[in-house]
Amino acid sequence: MAISLAGRNLLSIADLTREEIEEVWRVAAAQKSGEVSTEEQLTVARGRTLAMIFDKSSLRTRLGFEVAMAQLGGHGLYLAPADARMGEREAIKDVARVLGRTVDVIAARLYSHSHIEELAAESGVPVINAQSDLEHPCQALADLLTVREHKGDLTQVQIAWVGDGFNVCHSLLLICAICGANLQIATPATYEPRAETMANAQELAKESGAAIAVGNDPRAAVRGADVIYTDVWTSAGMEDQATRRRADFRDFQVDQALLQQAKPDAIVLHCLPAHRGEEITDEVLDGPQCAAFDQSENRLHTQRALLALIFS
Ligand code: CP
C-alpha cells in the first residue's frame, strides 16, 4: 500500500516510522534523478500554500521549502519575525487558527519547541518543525540520505558526532536509532544530549539494532568512523555564551588531524552555516572528504519529498 503523510505533523523525527523515512528518501531520489517528470511534479501542490513562519534566520531551510513549493506547483509564503510577532503582537493560538484557515501546511522555526507544539495543536493543518530548541527533523532527513548516498547500507555505517548535543544532534540521535545507523557522540562535559532524548533513542535502537553511545573524547569517537558530523559551537540565540563555549569546545574542532583518525574514505558533514576556524577548519570544509554541500542540496530534495507525501 502506498505511504501517505496526509494530515501529519513533523515535530520530531520520531513522528515518522522507519518505513515512512524510507518513503521520503525514495520520493526524494525519484524527484532528484528526474524519474518524476517536471510536469508530473507541478501537479502535486497545485493550488496549495505553505506558510513559513520563522523567528530566526535561515538560508537552507527556507530555500528548500520555497523552491520545493514552486517545483511542486504550489506557493510558499515566507513570514519573517516582524510579520507575525507570535506571542507578542498576537497569541500563538490565534496566529495558529488564522494560518490554519488560510494555508494548507505550516513550517515553523521558533525558539521554543513548545510553541511549535502549540501551533500544531491549534492550527488544524500539518505543522513541520523547521528547527526548534529541541529538534531539527528536516535536517535529519537530509543528513542520513546523504550518508546513504555516499556509504550505502546505513546499518553498516559508523557515524561520529563531534560537538554540541543540541537540536541537530537530538534529531540525528533519533533517526540513527530508528534506521539502525551506529552513532558515537562526543561532546564536552555538560553539553551532552538531553537524557530524555537519549533514552528515547536507546529504546528505538533496541528494534533497529543501532549502537548508540555518548562520551567526551572526540578522538575516540571518530576512530574508524565512516562519517564525522559537526555543528556550530554557539547556536542562534546563545550568542551571550559564545566566549565560554569557545573555551569549552576548543578540543572539539574538526581539523585534518582529527579527520585522519577516521577511515581514509570517511566523509565530513556539517548542517551549515559553519563558523570557519571554530568547529571546522577551512581545510576540512573545502577539502575532498567534505559532503556538507551535498547534504545542503539534499535539504531541498527531502523537504520537497516530505511536502509531496503530505499533499498525497
Ligand atoms: N542547517 C540549516 O537549518 O540551515 P539554515 O539555518 O540556513 O536553514
Side-chain angles (χ1 to χ4, degrees), residues 58-80:
S58 170
L59 176 63
R60 285 141 287 269
T61 310
R62 178 183 172 181
L63 265 180
F65 280 128
E66 207 157 324
V67 172
M69 282 304 287
Q71 292 177 345
L72 294 174
H75 180 55
L77 175 70
Y78 176 69
L79 296 164

Side-chain angles (χ1 to χ4, degrees), residues 54 56-63 109 130-131 136 138-139 143 168 229 231 270-273 295-296 299 303:
F54 280 59
K56 294 192 219 175
S57 306
S58 170
L59 176 63
R60 285 141 287 269
T61 310
R62 178 183 172 181
L63 265 180
R109 170 171 290 191
Q131 191 195 79
H136 198 353
C138 299
Q139 183 68 54
D143 296 343
V168 173
Y229 192 164
D231 188 8
H270 193 308
C271 56
L272 304 176
Q295 185 186 3
S296 167
R299 296 296 308 279
Q303 286 174 208

